[in-house]
Amino acid sequence: MNALRLLAGKTALKRIREEGLKPELFSRLLAASGGPKWLGIAGLDKYLFSEFFKDRKTPLYTLGASSGAWRLACLAQQDVLAAYGRLEDFYIGQRYDTKPSREEVSRQVTDIVAGILGETGAAEILANPVFRSHFVVCRGRHLNRVNGKLPLALGLSVTAATNLVSRRSLGWHFERLVFSQADNDSHFRLLNDLPSRDCKLSLSNLADVLQATGSIPMVLAPVGHIEGAGEGHFYDGGITDYHFDFPLEQHQGLTLYPHFFPTIKPGWFDKSLPWRRAVANYDNALLLVPSAEFVASLPNGKIPDRDDFKTLDTQSRQRSWRQAALASERLAEEFSRVLEGDISPIESFPG
Protein backbone atom coordinates (compact mmCIF):
# COMPACT_ATOMS: atom_id res chain seq x y z
CA MET A 1 0.00 0.00 0.00
CA ASN A 2 1.37 3.39 -0.99
CA ALA A 3 0.68 6.00 1.67
CA LEU A 4 1.61 8.98 -0.52
CA ARG A 5 0.27 10.18 -3.86
CA LEU A 6 2.11 12.64 -6.10
CA LEU A 7 -0.27 14.64 -8.31
CA ALA A 8 1.27 16.97 -10.89
CA GLY A 9 -0.22 19.48 -13.31
CA LYS A 10 0.80 19.20 -16.95
CA THR A 11 3.67 21.70 -16.80
CA ALA A 12 4.94 20.38 -13.48
CA LEU A 13 4.82 16.78 -14.67
CA LYS A 14 6.85 17.60 -17.78
CA ARG A 15 9.55 19.47 -15.83
CA ILE A 16 9.85 16.81 -13.12
CA ARG A 17 10.22 14.08 -15.72
CA GLU A 18 12.87 16.07 -17.57
CA GLU A 19 14.84 17.47 -14.61
CA GLY A 20 14.04 15.21 -11.68
CA LEU A 21 12.25 16.01 -8.44
CA LYS A 22 14.59 18.67 -7.04
CA PRO A 23 13.91 21.38 -4.48
CA GLU A 24 15.22 24.10 -6.79
CA LEU A 25 12.32 23.47 -9.19
CA PHE A 26 9.95 25.06 -6.70
CA SER A 27 9.53 28.75 -6.02
CA ARG A 28 6.28 28.58 -4.04
CA LEU A 29 4.89 26.53 -1.16
CA LEU A 30 1.22 26.50 -0.14
CA ALA A 31 -0.32 25.48 3.20
CA ALA A 32 -4.10 25.23 3.39
CA SER A 33 -6.73 25.90 6.01
CA GLY A 34 -8.53 22.95 7.49
CA GLY A 35 -8.35 23.01 11.29
CA PRO A 36 -6.56 19.90 12.61
CA LYS A 37 -6.36 18.18 9.21
CA TRP A 38 -2.68 19.14 9.02
CA LEU A 39 -1.95 16.54 11.70
CA GLY A 40 -2.51 13.87 9.05
CA ILE A 41 0.46 15.20 7.06
CA ALA A 42 2.61 16.51 9.92
CA GLY A 43 5.42 14.03 9.28
CA LEU A 44 5.59 15.10 5.63
CA ASP A 45 5.71 18.76 6.67
CA LYS A 46 8.62 18.11 9.00
CA TYR A 47 10.57 16.28 6.31
CA LEU A 48 9.98 19.01 3.72
CA PHE A 49 10.78 21.80 6.15
CA SER A 50 13.87 20.28 7.76
CA GLU A 51 15.34 18.10 4.95
CA PHE A 52 14.03 18.80 1.46
CA PHE A 53 14.50 22.58 1.69
CA LYS A 54 17.27 22.70 4.32
CA ASP A 55 20.03 23.83 1.92
CA ARG A 56 17.93 26.28 -0.05
CA LYS A 57 19.57 29.61 -0.88
CA THR A 58 17.03 31.29 -3.17
CA PRO A 59 13.67 32.65 -1.98
CA LEU A 60 10.76 30.27 -1.51
CA TYR A 61 7.52 32.24 -1.33
CA THR A 62 5.13 30.61 1.11
CA LEU A 63 1.42 31.31 1.49
CA GLY A 64 -0.75 30.02 4.31
CA ALA A 65 -4.15 30.62 5.84
CA SER A 66 -5.46 29.55 9.25
CA SER A 67 -3.59 26.49 10.56
CA GLY A 68 -1.64 26.47 7.28
CA ALA A 69 -0.19 29.85 8.26
CA TRP A 70 0.83 28.41 11.63
CA ARG A 71 2.70 25.56 9.91
CA LEU A 72 4.55 28.03 7.69
CA ALA A 73 5.40 30.20 10.69
CA CYS A 74 7.37 27.18 11.94
CA LEU A 75 9.18 26.78 8.62
CA ALA A 76 10.56 30.32 8.74
CA GLN A 77 12.12 29.92 12.20
CA GLN A 78 15.73 28.89 12.75
CA ASP A 79 14.93 25.66 14.59
CA VAL A 80 12.12 24.36 12.40
CA LEU A 81 11.54 21.08 14.20
CA ALA A 82 11.44 22.69 17.64
CA ALA A 83 8.88 25.22 16.43
CA TYR A 84 6.77 22.53 14.76
CA GLY A 85 6.95 20.42 17.90
CA ARG A 86 5.58 23.33 19.90
CA LEU A 87 2.74 23.72 17.38
CA GLU A 88 1.85 20.03 17.77
CA ASP A 89 1.99 20.16 21.56
CA PHE A 90 -0.06 23.33 21.98
CA TYR A 91 -2.57 22.46 19.27
CA ILE A 92 -3.22 18.91 20.43
CA GLY A 93 -3.17 20.13 24.03
CA GLN A 94 -6.31 22.23 23.64
CA ARG A 95 -8.85 21.26 26.27
CA TYR A 96 -12.55 22.11 26.42
CA ASP A 97 -14.41 20.23 29.13
CA THR A 98 -17.69 22.03 28.38
CA LYS A 99 -18.92 23.80 25.27
CA PRO A 100 -16.62 26.85 25.12
CA SER A 101 -17.49 30.43 24.35
CA ARG A 102 -15.85 32.21 21.44
CA GLU A 103 -13.68 34.07 23.91
CA GLU A 104 -12.47 30.84 25.57
CA VAL A 105 -11.46 29.33 22.22
CA SER A 106 -9.72 32.60 21.33
CA ARG A 107 -7.73 32.47 24.56
CA GLN A 108 -6.51 28.97 23.78
CA VAL A 109 -5.59 30.01 20.22
CA THR A 110 -3.62 32.91 21.71
CA ASP A 111 -1.66 30.31 23.68
CA ILE A 112 -1.07 28.27 20.50
CA VAL A 113 0.28 31.32 18.67
CA ALA A 114 2.51 32.25 21.61
CA GLY A 115 3.76 28.67 21.72
CA ILE A 116 4.59 28.66 18.01
CA LEU A 117 6.55 31.90 18.22
CA GLY A 118 8.33 31.31 21.50
CA GLU A 119 10.67 34.11 22.53
CA THR A 120 12.39 34.77 19.21
CA GLY A 121 10.18 33.26 16.50
CA ALA A 122 8.62 36.49 15.27
CA ALA A 123 12.00 38.14 14.69
CA GLU A 124 13.30 35.02 12.96
CA ILE A 125 10.32 34.88 10.59
CA LEU A 126 10.68 38.52 9.63
CA ALA A 127 14.44 38.26 9.10
CA ASN A 128 14.39 35.03 7.09
CA PRO A 129 15.94 35.75 3.66
CA VAL A 130 14.89 32.43 2.10
CA PHE A 131 11.42 31.47 3.40
CA ARG A 132 9.33 34.53 2.56
CA SER A 133 6.13 34.24 4.57
CA HIS A 134 2.67 35.36 3.46
CA PHE A 135 -0.34 34.97 5.74
CA VAL A 136 -3.96 35.53 4.68
CA VAL A 137 -6.49 37.32 6.90
CA CYS A 138 -10.07 38.34 6.06
CA ARG A 139 -11.69 41.57 7.23
CA GLY A 140 -15.48 41.37 7.59
CA ARG A 141 -17.65 43.81 5.68
CA HIS A 142 -21.28 44.84 6.22
CA LEU A 143 -23.04 42.32 8.50
CA ASN A 144 -19.82 40.33 8.82
CA ARG A 145 -18.29 43.17 10.80
CA VAL A 146 -21.03 43.01 13.45
CA ASN A 147 -20.09 41.20 16.65
CA GLY A 148 -23.52 39.86 17.61
CA LYS A 149 -24.07 36.20 16.78
CA LEU A 150 -27.41 36.66 15.02
CA PRO A 151 -26.29 39.47 12.66
CA LEU A 152 -23.05 37.61 11.96
CA ALA A 153 -24.94 34.39 11.24
CA LEU A 154 -27.15 36.32 8.82
CA GLY A 155 -24.08 37.89 7.21
CA LEU A 156 -22.46 34.50 6.72
CA SER A 157 -25.69 33.10 5.28
CA VAL A 158 -25.90 35.92 2.74
CA THR A 159 -22.22 35.35 1.89
CA ALA A 160 -22.87 31.66 1.30
CA ALA A 161 -25.91 32.43 -0.87
CA THR A 162 -24.11 34.87 -3.17
CA ASN A 163 -21.08 32.57 -3.33
CA LEU A 164 -23.35 29.92 -4.85
CA VAL A 165 -23.68 32.19 -7.85
CA SER A 166 -20.12 33.54 -8.03
CA ARG A 167 -16.96 33.22 -5.99
CA ARG A 168 -16.20 36.81 -6.96
CA SER A 169 -19.07 37.91 -4.73
CA LEU A 170 -16.93 37.16 -1.65
CA GLY A 171 -15.43 40.60 -2.13
CA TRP A 172 -18.76 42.15 -1.15
CA HIS A 173 -18.60 40.47 2.24
CA PHE A 174 -14.91 40.10 3.12
CA GLU A 175 -11.68 41.83 2.17
CA ARG A 176 -8.60 39.63 1.71
CA LEU A 177 -5.45 40.93 3.43
CA VAL A 178 -2.07 39.33 2.62
CA PHE A 179 0.54 40.08 5.28
CA SER A 180 4.19 39.64 4.27
CA GLN A 181 7.66 41.16 4.49
CA ALA A 182 6.76 43.47 1.57
CA ASP A 183 9.10 41.77 -0.90
CA ASN A 184 8.67 43.41 -4.32
CA ASP A 185 9.51 40.08 -6.01
CA SER A 186 6.81 38.20 -4.12
CA HIS A 187 4.64 35.87 -6.17
CA PHE A 188 1.63 36.68 -4.00
CA ARG A 189 1.52 40.46 -4.35
CA LEU A 190 -1.29 42.18 -6.19
CA LEU A 191 -3.67 39.23 -6.33
CA ASN A 192 -6.72 40.36 -8.32
CA ASP A 193 -9.07 37.37 -8.35
CA LEU A 194 -10.75 38.95 -5.32
CA PRO A 195 -10.44 42.40 -3.71
CA SER A 196 -7.09 42.18 -1.89
CA ARG A 197 -4.77 44.37 0.08
CA ASP A 198 -1.07 43.86 0.73
CA CYS A 199 0.01 44.58 4.31
CA LYS A 200 3.40 44.51 5.97
CA LEU A 201 4.29 42.06 8.70
CA SER A 202 6.08 43.51 11.72
CA LEU A 203 7.21 42.50 15.18
CA SER A 204 4.24 44.32 16.64
CA ASN A 205 1.55 42.72 14.46
CA LEU A 206 2.74 39.19 13.63
CA ALA A 207 1.08 37.53 16.63
CA ASP A 208 -2.19 39.33 15.89
CA VAL A 209 -2.00 38.25 12.25
CA LEU A 210 -1.51 34.61 13.24
CA GLN A 211 -4.39 34.91 15.71
CA ALA A 212 -6.67 36.47 13.11
CA THR A 213 -5.90 34.01 10.35
CA GLY A 214 -7.17 31.21 12.58
CA SER A 215 -10.25 33.02 13.93
CA ILE A 216 -13.18 31.09 12.49
CA PRO A 217 -16.39 33.16 12.51
CA MET A 218 -18.89 32.05 15.17
CA VAL A 219 -16.23 29.79 16.74
CA LEU A 220 -13.66 32.42 17.77
CA ALA A 221 -13.96 36.11 18.52
CA PRO A 222 -12.58 38.35 15.77
CA VAL A 223 -9.33 40.24 16.20
CA GLY A 224 -10.31 43.90 16.51
CA HIS A 225 -7.10 45.65 15.53
CA ILE A 226 -3.98 44.78 13.54
CA GLU A 227 -1.21 47.32 13.28
CA GLY A 228 -0.81 48.37 9.67
CA ALA A 229 -4.34 47.31 8.79
CA GLY A 230 -6.33 49.38 11.27
CA GLU A 231 -9.57 48.54 13.02
CA GLY A 232 -12.06 45.93 11.96
CA HIS A 233 -13.28 42.41 12.50
CA PHE A 234 -10.43 40.25 11.27
CA TYR A 235 -11.19 36.59 10.66
CA ASP A 236 -9.88 33.31 9.28
CA GLY A 237 -7.97 33.57 6.00
CA GLY A 238 -9.62 30.36 4.84
CA ILE A 239 -12.87 32.25 4.20
CA THR A 240 -11.48 33.52 0.90
CA ASP A 241 -8.60 31.06 0.55
CA TYR A 242 -9.52 27.69 1.97
CA HIS A 243 -7.28 25.80 -0.45
CA PHE A 244 -6.29 28.68 -2.81
CA ASP A 245 -7.26 29.30 -6.42
CA PHE A 246 -5.59 32.12 -8.35
CA PRO A 247 -3.28 32.29 -11.39
CA LEU A 248 0.47 31.97 -10.81
CA GLU A 249 1.70 31.06 -14.28
CA GLN A 250 3.20 34.53 -14.73
CA HIS A 251 5.91 33.60 -12.22
CA GLN A 252 8.80 31.22 -12.76
CA GLY A 253 9.13 27.97 -10.86
CA LEU A 254 6.68 25.35 -9.68
CA THR A 255 4.34 25.29 -6.71
CA LEU A 256 4.74 22.57 -4.06
CA TYR A 257 1.59 21.80 -2.15
CA PRO A 258 1.53 19.25 0.71
CA HIS A 259 -2.20 18.79 1.12
CA PHE A 260 -4.65 16.57 2.95
CA PHE A 261 -6.95 15.85 -0.02
CA PRO A 262 -6.61 15.23 -3.77
CA THR A 263 -9.31 17.86 -4.42
CA ILE A 264 -8.96 21.61 -3.93
CA LYS A 265 -11.77 23.85 -2.76
CA PRO A 266 -11.06 27.55 -3.41
CA GLY A 267 -12.87 29.10 -0.43
CA TRP A 268 -14.51 28.17 2.86
CA PHE A 269 -18.02 28.48 1.39
CA ASP A 270 -17.10 26.09 -1.43
CA LYS A 271 -16.58 23.06 0.83
CA SER A 272 -20.04 21.62 0.16
CA LEU A 273 -20.20 22.61 -3.52
CA PRO A 274 -19.15 19.62 -5.64
CA TRP A 275 -18.89 21.73 -8.79
CA ARG A 276 -16.57 24.34 -7.24
CA ARG A 277 -13.05 22.93 -7.53
CA ALA A 278 -9.72 24.53 -8.34
CA VAL A 279 -8.07 22.93 -11.35
CA ALA A 280 -6.97 25.48 -13.95
CA ASN A 281 -4.47 27.28 -11.73
CA TYR A 282 -2.56 24.12 -10.77
CA ASP A 283 -0.92 23.37 -14.11
CA ASN A 284 2.52 24.13 -12.62
CA ALA A 285 1.95 22.53 -9.22
CA LEU A 286 2.91 19.27 -7.51
CA LEU A 287 0.53 18.08 -4.81
CA LEU A 288 1.66 15.62 -2.15
CA VAL A 289 -1.41 13.98 -0.64
CA PRO A 290 -2.13 10.92 1.53
CA SER A 291 -3.72 7.98 -0.24
CA ALA A 292 -7.23 6.80 0.58
CA GLU A 293 -5.73 3.60 1.99
CA PHE A 294 -3.46 5.56 4.31
CA VAL A 295 -6.34 7.73 5.52
CA ALA A 296 -8.41 4.61 6.21
CA SER A 297 -5.60 3.29 8.42
CA LEU A 298 -5.65 6.35 10.70
CA PRO A 299 -7.56 6.40 14.01
CA ASN A 300 -11.29 6.52 13.28
CA GLY A 301 -10.49 5.94 9.60
CA LYS A 302 -10.11 9.62 8.74
CA ILE A 303 -7.89 12.68 8.79
CA PRO A 304 -8.37 14.57 12.11
CA ASP A 305 -10.99 17.32 11.89
CA ARG A 306 -12.86 19.77 14.10
CA ASP A 307 -15.75 17.34 14.59
CA ASP A 308 -13.41 15.40 16.88
CA PHE A 309 -13.97 18.10 19.50
CA LYS A 310 -17.65 17.08 19.55
CA THR A 311 -17.44 13.30 19.14
CA LEU A 312 -14.42 12.45 21.32
CA ASP A 313 -13.59 13.23 24.91
CA THR A 314 -10.39 15.20 25.45
CA GLN A 315 -8.14 12.22 26.22
CA SER A 316 -9.42 10.19 23.28
CA ARG A 317 -9.06 13.12 20.90
CA GLN A 318 -5.54 13.93 22.03
CA ARG A 319 -4.53 10.28 21.74
CA SER A 320 -5.97 9.84 18.23
CA TRP A 321 -4.43 13.10 17.03
CA ARG A 322 -0.99 12.10 18.28
CA GLN A 323 -1.39 8.70 16.64
CA ALA A 324 -2.32 10.37 13.35
CA ALA A 325 0.69 12.67 13.52
CA LEU A 326 2.97 9.72 14.27
CA ALA A 327 1.48 7.67 11.42
CA SER A 328 2.12 10.55 9.02
CA GLU A 329 5.85 9.84 9.28
CA ARG A 330 5.12 7.16 6.66
CA LEU A 331 4.42 9.94 4.16
CA ALA A 332 7.87 11.39 4.80
CA GLU A 333 9.49 7.97 4.46
CA GLU A 334 7.83 7.39 1.10
CA PHE A 335 8.74 10.84 -0.19
CA SER A 336 12.35 10.23 0.85
CA ARG A 337 12.35 6.99 -1.15
CA VAL A 338 10.96 8.84 -4.17
CA LEU A 339 13.89 11.25 -3.99
CA GLU A 340 16.31 8.33 -3.76
CA GLY A 341 14.97 6.92 -7.01
CA ASP A 342 12.41 4.45 -5.72
CA ILE A 343 9.85 6.25 -7.83
CA SER A 344 6.18 5.79 -7.28
CA PRO A 345 4.15 6.86 -10.35
CA ILE A 346 3.46 10.58 -10.52
CA GLU A 347 -0.20 11.01 -11.45
CA SER A 348 -1.68 13.77 -13.55
CA PHE A 349 -3.68 16.45 -11.75
CA PRO A 350 -6.55 16.45 -12.26
CA GLY A 351 -6.73 12.71 -12.82
Side-chain angles (χ1 to χ4, degrees):
M1 181 192 78
N2 286 336
L4 181 67
R5 298 177 67 193
L6 284 72
L7 309 177
K10 183 178 179 181
T11 298
L13 184 59
K14 182 175 184 292
R15 287 201 61 186
I16 292 168
R17 284 176 173 170
E18 291 175 349
E19 303 176 44
L21 183 50
K22 301 180 293 187
E24 53 265 31
L25 287 181
F26 301 96
S27 58
R28 295 171 296 277
L29 178 69
L30 301 180
S33 301
K37 295 182 180 71
W38 62 274
L39 289 163
I41 60 170
L44 180 61
D45 269 356
K46 287 184 277 191
Y47 182 86
L48 293 173
F49 293 0
S50 66
E51 295 295 331
F52 188 61
F53 288 122
K54 70 177 180 180
D55 297 321
R56 190 176 182 94
K57 303 300 181 186
T58 57
L60 182 73
Y61 295 100
T62 72
L63 180 69
S66 196
S67 57
W70 299 347
R71 293 156 56 204
L72 295 178
C74 300
L75 168 63
Q77 296 184 49
Q78 291 179 8
D79 192 335
V80 174
L81 293 181
Y84 205 98
R86 295 194 300 271
L87 169 59
E88 288 182 306
D89 288 342
F90 278 87
Y91 194 96
I92 295 172
Q94 293 177 83
R95 186 180 188 95
Y96 307 102
D97 293 321
T98 58
K99 184 177 180 180
S101 65
R102 292 185 295 177
E103 290 71 25
E104 169 59 20
V105 182
S106 293
R107 284 193 291 271
Q108 297 216 27
V109 167
T110 299
D111 291 341
I112 293 170
V113 170
I116 294 168
L117 295 178
E119 294 183 1
T120 61
E124 292 169 10
I125 292 167
L126 293 170
N128 198 310
V130 174
F131 301 114
R132 309 297 288 169
S133 302
H134 299 70
F135 306 132
V136 183
V137 171
C138 293
R139 187 205 309 258
R141 303 184 66 199
H142 308 304
L143 285 174
N144 295 312
R145 64 179 181 180
V146 178
N147 204 36
K149 284 191 174 182
L150 288 178
L152 178 58
L154 178 59
L156 295 173
S157 297
V158 173
T159 306
T162 62
N163 182 71
L164 281 170
V165 179
S166 172
R167 171 168 158 77
R168 296 278 302 183
S169 70
L170 284 176
W172 302 343
H173 309 286
F174 288 93
E175 179 188 18
R176 173 203 278 152
L177 307 177
V178 181
F179 287 84
S180 69
Q181 294 108 312
D183 184 337
N184 287 332
D185 295 323
S186 168
H187 294 195
F188 302 118
R189 291 189 68 241
L190 307 177
L191 298 176
N192 60 14
D193 60 308
L194 294 172
S196 304
R197 178 180 170 191
D198 294 314
C199 299
K200 188 175 181 180
L201 280 173
S202 68
L203 282 175
S204 54
N205 73 11
L206 198 149
D208 289 332
V209 169
L210 292 179
Q211 176 88 18
T213 194
S215 293
I216 304 167
M218 304 296 290
V219 179
L220 280 81
V223 173
H225 174 83
I226 300 178
E227 184 177 290
E231 306 293 326
H233 282 192
F234 297 98
Y235 283 114
D236 196 305
I239 295 171
T240 55
D241 297 280
Y242 193 61
H243 295 163
F244 310 110
D245 187 24
F246 36 72
L248 292 169
E249 68 273 5
Q250 71 271 31
H251 299 290
Q252 292 187 346
L254 304 181
T255 300
L256 184 63
Y257 196 175
H259 194 28
F260 348 105
F261 300 130
T263 55
I264 296 174
K265 296 291 188 176
W268 191 46
F269 292 97
D270 301 321
K271 291 188 291 181
S272 61
L273 308 182
W275 65 87
R276 189 72 59 79
R277 294 186 179 186
V279 173
N281 291 320
Y282 284 84
D283 180 69
N284 62 353
L286 173 66
L287 279 71
L288 306 176
V289 302
S291 68
E293 293 81 5
F294 172 78
V295 172
S297 73
L298 295 177
N300 306 305
K302 66 180 182 66
I303 294 282
D305 59 43
R306 287 200 299 118
D307 285 343
D308 294 339
F309 283 113
K310 302 175 184 177
T311 60
L312 300 174
D313 62 70
T314 296
Q315 288 185 332
S316 298
R317 175 186 57 79
Q318 291 176 344
R319 182 171 56 252
S320 68
W321 284 11
R322 290 200 178 278
Q323 289 172 347
L326 182 62
S328 71
E329 297 292 340
R330 284 188 55 202
L331 305 176
E333 293 166 3
E334 285 198 14
F335 187 66
S336 176
R337 291 202 300 271
V338 169
L339 298 178
E340 292 168 358
D342 182 10
I343 301 294
S344 60
I346 300 179
E347 306 170 54
S348 294
F349 178 81

